[in-house]
Amino acid sequence: MNIVTVCGMGFGTSLILKMAVDDILTKNRISANVEACDLGSIKGKVADLVISTSELKSELEGLNFNVVFVKNAIDKKDIEDKLLEAMKNFK
């Protein structure tokens, strides 16, 4: 499974999200490739799941990805809940 975390510039929020997702996957013994990227590069990525903040919803909704939007990139509980729920579709 390929998961891409996205933010506007690719080195702030997306890295925070990536670290959270890596921790959540490890905790739940789930194997996946997680990559952080910027909004402009996401169109060229292959991803089973994209995770970003709700601020980028309008930019990401029209793309052909399964997207999870979180309100706060440091709310690990929210990220975990939404990530695990979205991953149920891939089992």
Side-chain angles (χ1 to χ4, degrees):
M1 168 175 271
N2 289 320
I3 300 172
V4 179
T5 59
V6 181
C7 71
M9 299 301 285
F11 50 79
T13 302
S14 64
L15 289 175
I16 293 168
L17 287 170
K18 180 192 180 320
M19 290 187 298
V21 169
D22 284 336
D23 289 346
I24 293 163
L25 294 174
T26 299
K27 172 183 161 187
N28 288 279
R29 296 187 172 126
I30 299 170
S31 178
N33 178 47
V34 185
E35 176 184 358
C37 86
D38 65 280
L39 184 58
S41 299
I42 188 63
K43 292 177 185 174
K45 299 290 181 184
V46 175
D48 298 302
L49 185 63
V50 172
I51 302 174
S52 188
T53 57
S54 53
E55 288 84 12
L56 296 180
K57 191 171 187 174
S58 62
E59 287 88 350
L60 293 170
E61 277 187 323
L63 303 178
N64 194 22
F65 292 108
N66 294 311
V67 185
V68 171
F69 295 103
V70 297
K71 291 182 183 180
N72 185 337
I74 59 173
D75 184 349
K76 206 166 185 179
K77 175 71 172 129
D78 182 44
I79 297 166
E80 182 171 15
D81 291 347
K82 290 179 178 174
L83 173 62
L84 295 178
E85 182 63 32
M87 292 188 81
K88 288 180 183 177
N89 296 324
F90 296 100
K91 289 187 177 184

